[in-house]
């Protein structure tokens, strides 16, 4: 891919901010080049007055094909873990830092996931900011390093931060500058890291334990 134009998503944001208006508008976004190879944009989904916003990295292979977030293997693991932690799915809005699937090449029918770069996160961040200001969640749960870096900057490491409740940072190190200030933010690993783990049962337990910390803090 040569000479990328990345004007950023801001100019594609609709003036009317509803979940439906965002979904319609993101389909037209050309804020970075990722729209070109992806099937479609995937906007966040869930109740517009959800208490908890769960933020992943980007749509995966299944999400890209189906047009909905967290419908593949990682999403199924997340749904099961949320249930086990006692978090009602009706109170959760699930989204991603980047709305188009980035991949490099294919393995059989599966396209190989490639993490978005900082430039993609920066270009796409107006969508996430719009979602935070629309849903105004009490808490935000960041899944994995890309989501963590979007808020805290590139020095962020999941391992040092997971499973705690933190105030929304006053100085945002990354790209996410919303008007709404959630009561807390928490980080944990990405469910796809649990799926890849050689110690999957233990890592899943730890993931659920992190979600329980969040469950306790919800209204
Ligand atoms: N992984 C993510 O980060 N988001 C999804 O929607 C699916 C998998
Ligand atoms: Fe727009 Fe984000 Fe898609 Fe880039 S990844 S085209 S900024 S929606």
């Amino acid at each position: 891919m040569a000479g990328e134009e990345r004007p950023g998503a801001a100019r594609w944001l609709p003036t009317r901010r509803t979940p439906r208006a965002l979904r319609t508008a993101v389909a037209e976004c050309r804020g970075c080049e990722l729209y070109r190879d992806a099937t479609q944009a995937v906007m966040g989904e869930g109740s517009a007055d959800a208490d908890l916003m769960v933020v992943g990295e980007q749509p995966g292979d299944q999400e890209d094909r189906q047009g909905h977030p967290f419908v593949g293997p990682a999403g199924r693991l997340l749904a099961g873990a949320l249930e086990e932690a006692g978090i009602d799915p009706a109170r959760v809005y699930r989204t991603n830092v980047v709305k188009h699937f980035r991949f490099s090449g294919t393995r059989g029918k599966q396209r190989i996931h490639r993490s978005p770069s900082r430039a993609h996160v920066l270009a796409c961040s107006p969508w996430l900011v719009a979602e935070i200001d629309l849903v105004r969640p009490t808490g935000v749960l960041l899944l994995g390093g890309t989501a963590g870096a979007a808020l805290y900057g590139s020095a962020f490491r999941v391992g040092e931060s997971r499973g705690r409740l933190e105030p929304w940072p006053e100085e945002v190190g990354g790209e996410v500058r919303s008007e709404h200030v959630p009561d807390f933010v928490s980080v944990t690993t990405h469910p796809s890291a649990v799926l890849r783990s050689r110690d999957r049962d233990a890592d899943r337990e730890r993931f659920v334990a992190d979600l329980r910390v969040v469950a306790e803090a919800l209204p």
Side-chain angles (χ1 to χ4, degrees):
M1 265 188 252
E4 308 303 358
E5 285 269 306
R6 293 190 188 114
R11 76 173 74 156
W12 283 273
L13 285 188
T15 34
R16 219 169 90 84
R17 301 287 170 84
T18 64
R20 183 206 282 257
L22 289 182
R23 196 177 334 280
T24 306
V26 77
E28 304 300 321
C29 186
R30 305 287 183 262
C32 75
E33 80 286 4
L34 293 184
Y35 77 90
R36 287 201 308 242
D37 294 332
T39 309
Q40 58 193 317
V42 179
M43 188 43 74
E45 288 182 7
S47 164
D49 45 36
D51 301 312
L52 179 66
M53 182 174 288
V54 176
V55 184
E57 182 190 75
Q58 63 171 356
D61 183 72
Q62 284 301 314
E63 289 78 15
D64 171 81
R65 293 174 199 274
Q66 298 183 38
H68 302 287
F70 293 106
V71 291
R76 281 194 293 279
L77 191 145
L78 173 65
L82 284 168
E83 193 186 338
E84 227 174 290
I87 299 174
D88 177 359
R91 299 169 70 194
V92 179
Y93 182 98
R94 287 167 302 165
T95 191
N96 290 296
V97 167
V98 167
K99 307 313 194 218
H100 276 106
F101 178 39
R102 188 187 197 202
F103 59 97
S104 56
T106 53
R107 189 191 294 122
K109 280 191 185 154
Q110 266 240 349
R111 295 161 298 171
I112 299 158
H113 161 277
R114 188 175 173 204
S115 287
S117 72
R118 296 281 298 174
H120 299 123
V121 172
L122 176 64
C124 210
S125 62
W127 294 114
L128 180 60
V129 170
E131 289 175 292
I132 294 171
D133 285 334
L134 173 66
V135 176
R136 304 179 64 78
T138 305
V140 170
L141 174 64
L142 305 171
L143 303 177
T146 302
L151 190 61
Y152 291 107
S154 49
F156 173 82
R157 296 289 173 271
V158 172
E160 296 159 11
S161 322
R162 65 182 296 178
R164 293 202 300 259
L165 299 174
E166 299 288 347
W168 193 253
E170 264 175 47
E171 285 294 320
V172 172
E175 281 76 27
V176 181
R177 292 178 177 80
S178 58
E179 279 176 31
H180 174 64
V181 177
D183 289 357
F184 69 87
V185 56
S186 192
V187 302
T188 185
T189 189
H190 196 285
S192 60
V194 177
L195 288 173
R196 284 193 309 267
S197 166
R198 277 181 295 167
D199 203 357
R200 200 195 277 198
D201 289 349
D203 283 353
R204 189 178 181 287
E205 273 312 303
R206 220 175 146 205
F207 184 60
V208 172
D210 289 350
L211 299 192
R212 287 206 176 96
V213 173
V214 169
E216 299 263 310
L218 289 174

